[in-house]
Each structure stands twice: as structure tokens, then as C-alpha cells.
Amino acid sequence: MYRWVLCFRYLRTRYIALASIISVTLGVATLIVVNSVMAGFSAEMHKRMNELLSDVVIDCHSSGGMPDQEKHLERIRRITGDKLVGATCSVHVPAMLGIEHNGQLITKQINLIGVDPKTYGDVSDFGRCLLHPGNRETASFELYDNGYGSDRKNFPESGWVYRRAWAAYQKAYQNEIREAEAARKATGNATGASAGPSIDSFGSDGLFSQVAEETRSREFDPQEEQHCGIILGITTCSSRFRDPDGDVGDYFYCRPGDDVRVIFPNAGEDTKALNQHFTVVDLYESGMSEYDSTFAFVPLDRLQEFRGMVDPTTGVRSITTIQLKLAEGTNLGEVRDALRREFPPDIYAYNIQTWRDMQGPLLAAVRLETTILNVLLFLIIAVAGFGILATFFMIVVEKTRDIGILKALGASNAGVMSIFLSYGLLLGIAGSGVGLLGGLAFVHYINDIAGLIEKITGQEVFDPTVYYFNTIPTIIHPITIVWVMIGAVAIAVMASVLPALRAARMHPVMALRYE
């Protein structure tokens, strides 16, 4: 009993121990915060990647693609059996997107994807990423009247209502210019030639700059017609910024209802560039900048026709990608290996990967970063351990006569040693306990704290324009907290071993004679 009495007495009266407790507290709190944030980022990335990417992807490297998609799907179903939950075929092709905005041509390199809207949602969470509520159940490549971005702040008017209004304005403006030109020609007023802008130089804010020419050549009426629909990644046609109030906003170069131009190669050996107009029918926002800044979706059948991937004699269509969704709990590696045996690389120019294989470098980088941070932060607690070691050696020196009295009264070597080990245990428990409470509180209010720091320093702590998360994601794993607590207490106890051994080995007579 005397051991615990002395430990609590030293803990209350020895203020030098407070420095050790603070060191352990800071180390434990920092470990909890860092692990929670890293776990949140990792979980958010895994969730979004698994939702956006199907479980297994079969890509064809041949320029002509995979002919006869149905036969491929039959072979795949025979291998996967009941494990297969969904399958879809698509065409992936690199392309260049052109947006006319304020008289300027904005170009973006994109990945043009032809998808089957009936089956693409079976292998990915495609609908959830679309702005219009009507497209979230089953995606459509037809333009809606309105209703885009209803849950977003300051989203510009879009859809047929916007398209018709702007087309009417364009038509009236063009008619006004033609009438002015005709009047100038009739009067012979040469000075009036530069009185107004020409149709070709008019900047249409990303809308219908080609309307006049197409209306004359193909009788295309943008007030009633649309081109083949395209769904653009939201970052391909917008840029993010912070307004004076600190809120994140988007500036759109084009919106649903606008026409854009896409240049992409045809299929086959005789490669040619195809130039095609599309009408933006929706925007895609997954929250992953890698996809939002490059993906553009069009109907699969139309892209196959544009690229010449339909055999004119048999009507057989070719594809470049097959995506598979497997039942939960399925070993993706086994299915991948079985498909690789079915489609050997020496015969088929196919690349078969799981979603983890495709994002392997990124996931490995996150794991490595988490490991390194844990090692570095545990070194902070180790530094606290050296502080405890130095503190205990000082206590042993100062309490040499007291130790001699205890041993003269009958205290054993083990008993004296246990006093200092218990003291180290109490320091570790006290420091890690306070650090646990502080760390959990910090994690709970981390976004509020980040906002406060931004106001004080004027510097962004967490920039959603980079991460595309509105808030800092955090996940607290109880097992991680347990290991952090055990590690901190263990370091504190180990730091007290050497001073405890020195105290236990003291001879009572020599200790009593110590000056």
C-alpha cells in the first residue's frame, strides 16, 4: 500500500513530472488526430474509388476494340458464375474538348467514354454523381427543361428553358446584324461596315457560336433540337474559387444546354480525327478531381457509330472496355486471375485489373504516409520517455536517504523497484488519458478549429478546391486508440526501469550515509 501512497504523493508534488505528462499528452493526442484524419481520407478515397470504378475492368489495347461484346460477356459469365452481379460494356477514347466562351476557345484534354445508361449504373455509382435528380436513377442523354443543380448555391440556369432563351437572343441578334448590313449595302454607306460586330466574331458565352452556319447548312434549330448528348465532368467546364465570404464557388464556362465540340480519333488502322458537336445535358461530380477533370460521357451506340465500330455487313459492334461488378465478399484477385487465364495476353491484347490494381500507387502512397507519420509521432513519445528517465534519476538521487530508510524498515528490493515502476505507470496513464480526451475533442471539432485558424492566420488549412471534400474527413478506430495508449504507457514504464533498478540495488547503510 505504501508504494501507491508514495506514487500519488510524488505525482501531486513533483512539478517536474508535469513536463513528462505534457509530453506524453501531446504525443498521444497528435497520434489520435493524425490517425483519425488519415483514416478518414483513406476511407473516403476507398469508398469513392470503389463506387466510381467497377470491381474488375477488362481493357482492350487493340485500335479496333473487342468485336462481338455478347460473346465476351457469355465467356465471362461462365467463369464468374453467381459471383457476377452486374456487367457493362463501354468505349474509352482520348479526346479534346472545345468550349467557346466570351469569344475564346477553351480546350481541355478529356477521356471520352461511351456508356450504356441502362447497365452502367449496375457497376458504378454513376447516377449519384449527376446534378439533375431525374438522371440519378437512370441516366438520360436528353436535355431536361430545368431543375439542374437545385441543391447547389448560385448554380446558373440550365436546360431547355435556358437554351431556348439564349437561342432566341442569338437569332434576334443575328437578324439585327443582317438587317444593318443590308441597310448599309442599300444606302452605300461605306463607313457603316464597322458599325457592329460580325456574326463570326461574336462571343456567345459558350453557346451556339456555330448556330448561324449550321442553321443555313443543315437547318438545325437550337430552340427545338439538340445534338447528341454529353455529360461533362464538372471540372472540365468550370473552375473553383473562394468568394469574399470564404465560401467555395464554381464559375462555369458552359452548362447544360450549351453546345460543345469534341475531337477524337476513329477506330481502325487508318486513324483520322473526327470533329463532332455535342449538347451538354448534365454535369458529373464524383468528388475525385482525377475523374471530374477528365471524364466525359456519351451514349455508347452513338460513339460506336461515330468511330466506325459497327461492322456494316454484320452489324456486330465493338467495344474497348468491359466492367464487372461482383458480389460482396468475392475475392477479386481470384476472379481477375481466372479471367487472365481465359483471355491470355499472348492471344488477346487485354489488360485485366481490379480497381485496387488500377489505384495501387495512390493507395500504397497513403499507407506509406500513414506509417511514416506514426513512426515519427511515436518518436515524440519516446522523447517524453527520456524526460521521464532523467526525472526519475533525479528523484532517486534526491531520495537516496528515504530509500535507505525504507530498506532499513524492511522494504525489499522488489518493493523499492515497484515504487518507481508504479510511478512511471501513473505518469503514462495520466499523460495518455489526458491526451486521449484532448485528441478526441480535437477530432470532433477539427473543422471548427480549422476555420478558426484560417480566420486568425488568413491562410487556408484545408482547401476543398484541392481535395474536393467539403469538410475534413475523420474516422476514429478504437483499436488504433488502444494501441496508442498501450504504446505510450509502455514507453513511460520502460523509461522508469533503469532508475528503479538503481534504487533497488542501493545498500541501506550506504544510502543512509549519503550526504
Side-chain angles (χ1 to χ4, degrees), residues 10-304:
Y10 288 162
L11 193 61
R12 292 195 312 269
T13 59
R14 302 296 296 184
Y15 293 108
I16 193 172
L18 184 61
S20 301
I21 293 177
I22 292 175
S23 299
V24 175
T25 297
L26 292 176
V28 170
T30 306
L31 273 170
I32 291 174
V33 172
V34 169
N35 277 281
S36 299
V37 172
M38 295 300 295
F41 269 94
S42 180
E44 192 72 18
M45 290 172 57
H46 277 74
K47 177 184 175 183
R48 296 196 179 192
M49 288 178 185
N50 199 11
E51 288 175 348
L52 301 175
L53 300 174
S54 51
D55 292 329
V56 178
V57 179
I58 305 174
D59 287 317
C60 178
H61 296 308
S62 172
S63 59
M66 310 177 194
D68 201 344
Q69 61 193 47
E70 292 301 327
K71 286 187 177 180
H72 280 79
L73 290 175
E74 288 178 5
R75 296 172 66 179
I76 291 171
R77 291 190 184 99
R78 187 174 65 250
I79 294 172
T80 56
D82 297 337
K83 299 176 183 178
L84 185 63
V85 174
T88 190
C89 300
S90 57
V91 172
H92 291 238
V93 59
M96 184 67 69
L97 172 69
I99 303 171
E100 293 188 22
H101 176 74
N102 287 339
Q104 303 179 41
L105 180 64
I106 299 173
T107 59
K108 292 285 186 72
Q109 183 178 350
I110 61 172
N111 183 13
L112 189 63
I113 306 173
V115 298
D116 181 359
K118 296 180 179 179
T119 60
Y120 196 72
D122 296 337
V123 301
S124 68
D125 203 2
F126 179 61
R128 179 189 64 82
C129 303
L130 303 181
L131 292 189
H132 198 283
N135 284 330
R136 290 173 184 169
E137 291 296 329
T138 301
S140 170
F141 287 95
E142 298 296 325
L143 188 64
Y144 284 88
D145 285 339
N146 49 33
Y148 292 91
S150 56
D151 55 348
R152 299 174 66 93
K153 181 180 178 181
N154 299 327
F155 190 80
E157 185 181 26
S158 304
W160 272 114
V161 173
Y162 158 74
R163 182 179 178 88
R164 291 191 180 106
W166 186 256
Y169 170 78
Q170 284 278 68
K171 186 178 294 186
Y173 183 81
Q174 293 158 9
N175 290 335
E176 183 180 344
I177 293 177
R178 292 192 188 98
E179 292 174 359
E181 290 178 349
R184 284 193 298 270
K185 289 179 180 179
T187 59
N189 186 359
T191 60
S194 59
S198 66
I199 294 175
D200 293 335
S201 65
F202 178 72
S204 62
D205 195 23
L207 296 167
F208 313 114
S209 60
Q210 77 279 9
V211 167
E213 181 63 30
E214 291 190 354
T215 302
R216 291 193 294 269
S217 62
R218 301 194 297 120
E219 297 183 355
F220 178 82
D221 185 3
Q223 289 184 277
E224 302 297 334
E225 300 177 77
Q226 68 166 74
H227 297 289
C228 176
I230 186 172
I231 298 174
L232 295 179
I234 193 167
T235 316
T236 63
C237 58
S238 68
S239 61
R240 284 201 162 184
F241 65 93
R242 280 189 180 272
D243 59 23
D245 296 332
D247 297 328
V248 177
D250 297 291
Y251 180 79
F252 291 90
Y253 304 114
C254 70
R255 62 185 95 166
D258 285 339
D259 289 341
V260 296
R261 191 185 299 268
V262 181
I263 301 175
F264 53 92
N266 68 331
E269 297 180 358
D270 186 14
T271 304
K272 297 179 180 178
L274 305 176
N275 192 329
Q276 188 68 38
H277 288 115
F278 292 89
T279 298
V280 181
V281 297
D282 209 342
L283 299 180
Y284 173 87
E285 185 177 25
S286 65
M288 299 292 289
S289 58
E290 178 184 355
Y291 306 133
D292 294 344
S293 61
T294 58
F295 281 4
F297 303 89
V298 297
L300 173 61
D301 54 350
R302 297 296 302 276
L303 185 57
Q304 289 172 323

Side-chain angles (χ1 to χ4, degrees), residues 192-435:
S194 59
S198 66
I199 294 175
D200 293 335
S201 65
F202 178 72
S204 62
D205 195 23
L207 296 167
F208 313 114
S209 60
Q210 77 279 9
V211 167
E213 181 63 30
E214 291 190 354
T215 302
R216 291 193 294 269
S217 62
R218 301 194 297 120
E219 297 183 355
F220 178 82
D221 185 3
Q223 289 184 277
E224 302 297 334
E225 300 177 77
Q226 68 166 74
H227 297 289
C228 176
I230 186 172
I231 298 174
L232 295 179
I234 193 167
T235 316
T236 63
C237 58
S238 68
S239 61
R240 284 201 162 184
F241 65 93
R242 280 189 180 272
D243 59 23
D245 296 332
D247 297 328
V248 177
D250 297 291
Y251 180 79
F252 291 90
Y253 304 114
C254 70
R255 62 185 95 166
D258 285 339
D259 289 341
V260 296
R261 191 185 299 268
V262 181
I263 301 175
F264 53 92
N266 68 331
E269 297 180 358
D270 186 14
T271 304
K272 297 179 180 178
L274 305 176
N275 192 329
Q276 188 68 38
H277 288 115
F278 292 89
T279 298
V280 181
V281 297
D282 209 342
L283 299 180
Y284 173 87
E285 185 177 25
S286 65
M288 299 292 289
S289 58
E290 178 184 355
Y291 306 133
D292 294 344
S293 61
T294 58
F295 281 4
F297 303 89
V298 297
L300 173 61
D301 54 350
R302 297 296 302 276
L303 185 57
Q304 289 172 323
E305 294 167 3
F306 291 151
R307 299 194 67 224
M309 302 182 74
V310 183
D311 192 318
T313 58
T314 63
V316 174
R317 294 175 177 266
S318 297
I319 56 174
T320 63
T321 305
I322 297 177
Q323 297 172 247
L324 309 177
K325 185 72 173 180
L326 303 177
E328 188 175 354
T330 302
N331 189 321
L332 302 183
E334 291 181 357
V335 175
R336 175 200 60 199
D337 295 340
L339 291 172
R340 286 177 176 175
R341 290 191 294 269
E342 178 69 16
F343 302 102
D346 56 338
I347 300 176
Y348 300 92
Y350 297 168
N351 184 25
I352 304 175
Q353 296 177 295
T354 67
W355 72 272
R356 291 183 180 275
D357 296 333
M358 297 173 67
Q359 297 296 332
L362 179 59
L363 299 177
V366 173
R367 288 195 298 269
L368 178 61
E369 184 178 353
T370 303
T371 302
I372 292 175
L373 283 174
N374 279 320
V375 171
L376 293 176
L377 293 174
F378 256 111
L379 291 178
I380 296 176
I381 303 178
V383 171
F386 284 105
I388 294 172
L389 178 66
T391 300
F392 279 22
F393 268 118
M394 292 174 60
I395 293 174
V396 169
V397 172
E398 291 179 1
K399 299 298 181 181
T400 299
R401 292 177 61 85
D402 295 342
I403 294 171
I405 293 172
L406 285 175
K407 300 192 77 172
L409 293 174
S412 63
N413 291 343
V416 173
M417 185 175 182
S418 65
I419 294 174
F420 292 92
L421 293 178
S422 301
Y423 191 27
L425 178 64
L426 280 178
L427 285 177
I429 293 175
S432 58
V434 177

